[in-house]
Amino acid sequence: MTARIDHLVTSGTFSLDGQSFDVDNNVWIVGDDAECVVIDAPHDAQAIADAVGDRRVLAIACTHAHDDHVRVAPQLAQLVNAPILLHPDDHVLWDMTHDVRPDGELSDGQQIHVAGTVLEVLHTPGHAPGAVCFHAPELGVLFSGDTLFNGGPGATGRSYSDHPTIVESIRTRLFALPDATVVKTGHGDDTTIGAERQNLTD
C-alpha cells in the first residue's frame, strides 16, 4: 500500500517571551494502515493517538520545539510507544517546556523510512535554531513546520529566531525543490514551492 497523509488540527496556545496566543496547529501523519510517522505533537495527545489508531508509530518527528508543536510529545510517546525526534539545536526551546530530553536527534540529510516512502530531514534554521522540514519526494510533499507558510516565511520576532537566517534557509534549501512540491505547513493552508517564491522578500 502506498503511503498516505492523514491530517488533523488541534487547538491550544503558543507561549514565549512572556506572551501567549491562541493557535490552531496542523498535525501530519505519514504512513499506511500498518505504520506511520507523526509530525509534531501539539495540544491534544489523545486526539493524535486516536488518529493513529492501531498503527505502529515509528517516530514522533518534531519540526521544532516551540511549545505549541511539542507540548504533548512525551504524553503521546507513552500512548503510542514511539520515540520523540528533535534537532539538537532546539534543546534550548524544548527545555522551556519539558524536563526530559527527546529520545533521539534529527540531523540534516537524515532519512526516515515509513510505509515505502522516505522523509528526508532538511535543517532550516531561522524560525528556531533547530527547525527542520521533512521532504517526501515520492509524495511530492514538504512538511514545513513554521519555516514556510502560505504567504511567506515563518515569524522571526521572538527569542532564538532570526529573519536573515530563515530567508537563507528557504532560498537555499526549500527553493531547491520542484515548484510543484506541495507545502504542508504547521498552521493554516497548504501552498506550493512555486507559489511561495514570489512571497519571499529580504
Side-chain angles (χ1 to χ4, degrees):
M1 178 178 290
T2 303
R4 67 178 187 272
I5 300 167
D6 297 320
H7 173 226
L8 71 153
V9 177
T10 65
S11 300
T13 60
F14 163 59
S15 300
L16 187 64
D17 296 338
Q19 293 181 293
S20 291
F21 306 90
D22 292 331
V23 288
D24 298 325
N25 285 66
N26 293 321
V27 182
W28 304 103
I29 303 172
V30 184
D32 57 17
D33 288 342
E35 63 182 25
C36 64
V37 169
V38 175
I39 298 175
D40 287 343
H43 312 310
D44 191 336
Q46 191 59 58
I48 302 170
D50 290 345
V52 165
D54 60 1
R55 290 180 281 179
R56 182 166 67 103
V57 180
L58 304 183
I60 300 163
C62 304
T63 60
H64 63 294
H66 283 152
D67 64 351
D68 61 319
H69 290 258
V70 301
R71 181 174 288 113
V72 300
Q75 181 184 358
L76 180 64
Q78 290 188 334
L79 287 174
V80 301
N81 190 30
I84 302 164
L85 306 181
L86 178 73
H87 194 283
D89 288 357
D90 253 25
H91 284 164
V92 63
L93 291 166
W94 173 274
D95 292 346
M96 294 179 183
T97 305
H98 300 299
D99 57 8
V100 294
R101 280 289 171 93
D103 302 291
E105 295 185 348
L106 296 169
S107 60
D108 188 61
Q110 178 181 348
Q111 293 187 340
I112 301 171
H113 295 262
V114 57
T117 197
V118 172
L119 298 174
E120 181 180 0
V121 179
L122 304 178
H123 183 210
T124 53
H127 179 71
V132 301
C133 300
F134 300 99
H135 181 218
E138 296 93 341
L139 302 178
V141 168
L142 177 80
F143 301 95
S144 65
D146 287 3
T147 294
L148 184 62
F149 288 119
N150 185 327
T156 52
R158 301 196 172 275
S159 296
Y160 305 104
S161 65
D162 182 74
H163 183 72
T165 301
I166 199 172
V167 169
E168 179 70 9
S169 290
I170 293 169
R171 283 197 170 135
T172 61
R173 306 308 307 279
L174 303 190
F175 286 175
L177 304 177
D179 279 356
T181 303
V182 175
V183 181
K184 295 189 175 294
T185 63
H187 309 269
D189 296 331
D190 292 355
T191 183
T192 65
I193 291 294
E196 294 313 314
R197 290 187 193 278
Q198 61 189 355
N199 291 325
L200 185 67
T201 58
D202 288 328

